[in-house]
Amino acid sequence: MRIIHTMPLIYHPSDLIMFEQCFESLGESDEKFVVIYNQGNLSKSTLEAKLAHYKIPNVILGNGENMGIAQARQKCFEYIWDNFKEVDYISEIHLDMVFPENWYESLTHFLDTTDEPMVSPGILTSCGELQPIGQFIVLPEYKEDMISVLKSFSQEEVRERFVHPVIHKAKALKAIGGYDLQFFKGKQGYEDDSLLLGYFYYMGTRTNWRPKCYLKSWVYHATMAQRMSVPDKHLDFQTNKEGLFLQYGAYGMKHLSHLHQNQAFFDNLLKEFIQ
């Protein structure tokens, strides 16, 4: 086993189609072992039965409480670090995704042959946008057609951009410690930025590192499909924004604007936190 997938999972009845498409497509890959942090609305036995239907080997953590994305991801990472010390790669996947067969293979090959600590595929969003190339298409209605479209966009190109899903070199992720939970008390928001800054310093500022998408692989990701339904989400985002600033300070925010190639992000944060 070279790669283990991780997923914080909250299930609502309206998520049934997403659930079926996600795990049915993941189950068609050779490497499909997933560590799930169960954050609500399904018992462990029910979730195990559903995953067995799609022949997904799994470990289920959590007691059904929504601890938050960073907290759930970190528990998954720590479980893998403790129990699968020799695994090469750890992915972060979401329920609102559809995966072509063995979607990770070209990405892990990219990591095998470069010094990069992590990499993302290209993604097709629910509005038909192909990120990071900025093109739009008519979104296919059926999963099989969507997978065919995703495969058709495969190309030997690397773009500087970060999207989910993301695959980490397990050793690099452990070296930066994953998510530092003392700074992320909200259930969601800015946790990805924390990892990006961790990798930026891990790679060394002299390398001018930025996250990358390898467009040999494409995945469907509805993006924010469940996040926006969480109550008081604006409070969680604000809490984590403050935590990110506390963790890395103004200089870190300057580097984050470099990573996102968005100077306005840095300028707005300074106005908010430095009076």
Side-chain angles (χ1 to χ4, degrees):
M1 185 163 53
R2 294 196 71 211
I3 184 169
I4 296 177
H5 309 292
T6 66
M7 179 189 290
L9 191 149
I10 299 176
Y11 178 83
H12 302 286
S14 60
D15 297 331
L16 177 60
I17 293 177
M18 281 199 309
F19 188 102
E20 291 176 343
Q21 290 186 337
C22 176
F23 287 112
E24 185 179 83
S25 64
L26 185 63
E28 293 170 356
S29 288
D30 295 331
E31 297 264 17
K32 51 199 171 191
F33 186 91
V34 59
V35 178
I36 289 176
Y37 197 94
N38 185 15
Q39 294 193 284
N41 301 323
L42 283 179
S43 68
K44 182 177 181 180
S45 60
T46 300
L47 183 52
E48 285 175 336
K50 284 182 173 290
L51 294 172
H53 175 73
Y54 298 110
K55 299 180 180 179
I56 304 288
N58 64 84
V59 168
I60 299 174
L61 308 175
N63 59 8
E65 178 186 357
N66 183 6
M67 298 175 60
I69 292 175
Q71 290 82 353
R73 292 279 192 203
Q74 187 67 13
K75 292 295 185 183
C76 292
F77 296 162
E78 291 172 357
Y79 181 88
I80 294 169
W81 293 334
D82 289 342
N83 295 279
F84 297 91
K85 294 180 172 62
E86 301 306 314
V87 73
D88 294 318
Y89 300 107
I90 297 173
S91 82
E92 297 183 73
I93 62 175
H94 297 267
L95 189 62
D96 58 341
M97 292 179 174
V98 175
F99 306 95
E101 183 180 0
N102 296 336
W103 62 279
Y104 49 81
E105 282 190 345
S106 57
L107 300 174
T108 56
H109 177 72
F110 176 82
L111 292 174
D112 280 339
T113 55
T114 69
D115 192 39
E116 294 295 321
M118 52 159 277
V119 69
S120 301
I123 63 169
L124 171 63
T125 73
S126 58
C127 64
E129 183 180 4
L130 293 160
Q131 297 182 1
I133 63 178
Q135 296 179 12
F136 287 83
I137 65 169
V138 176
L139 195 67
E141 183 177 357
Y142 300 106
K143 176 179 70 71
E144 291 76 14
D145 295 332
M146 186 181 298
I147 289 175
S148 294
V149 167
L150 292 168
K151 290 180 178 178
S152 74
F153 282 98
S154 176
Q155 55 189 287
E156 289 286 353
E157 184 177 355
V158 177
R159 295 279 188 105
E160 290 185 341
R161 180 76 181 274
F162 174 80
V163 299
H164 270 275
V166 57
I167 295 178
H168 305 271
K169 287 180 177 174
K171 290 181 179 178
L173 181 62
K174 188 174 183 180
I176 67 170
Y179 300 106
D180 192 334
L181 300 182
Q182 64 184 322
F183 297 106
F184 291 90
K185 306 297 185 183
K187 289 183 171 59
Q188 59 179 322
Y190 297 95
E191 61 277 350
D192 294 334
D193 293 313
S194 174
L195 281 191
L196 291 179
L197 281 170
Y199 280 133
F200 181 73
Y201 296 128
Y202 172 80
M203 296 298 289
T205 54
R206 66 180 178 80
T207 67
N208 203 34
W209 179 83
R210 283 193 177 103
K212 296 172 179 66
C213 295
Y214 181 38
L215 304 187
K216 189 73 173 176
S217 174
W218 288 82
V219 168
Y220 173 74
H221 184 190
T223 71
M224 306 288 281
Q226 288 187 302
R227 279 193 178 211
M228 302 314 291
S229 65
V230 176
D232 297 324
K233 56 184 175 294
H234 64 289
L235 298 178
D236 289 315
F237 273 83
Q238 183 61 31
T239 296
N240 283 357
K241 183 196 295 185
E242 293 170 359
L244 181 68
F245 193 88
L246 182 62
Q247 182 181 17
Y248 284 108
Y251 200 53
M253 299 308 99
K254 179 180 179 180
H255 287 147
L256 191 60
S257 69
H258 159 79
L259 292 172
H260 289 305
Q261 303 181 53
N262 185 353
Q263 182 63 32
F265 175 87
F266 172 60
D267 293 338
N268 291 335
L269 274 176
L270 286 187
K271 289 177 183 177
E272 181 175 350
F273 289 110
I274 301 178
Q275 302 296 329

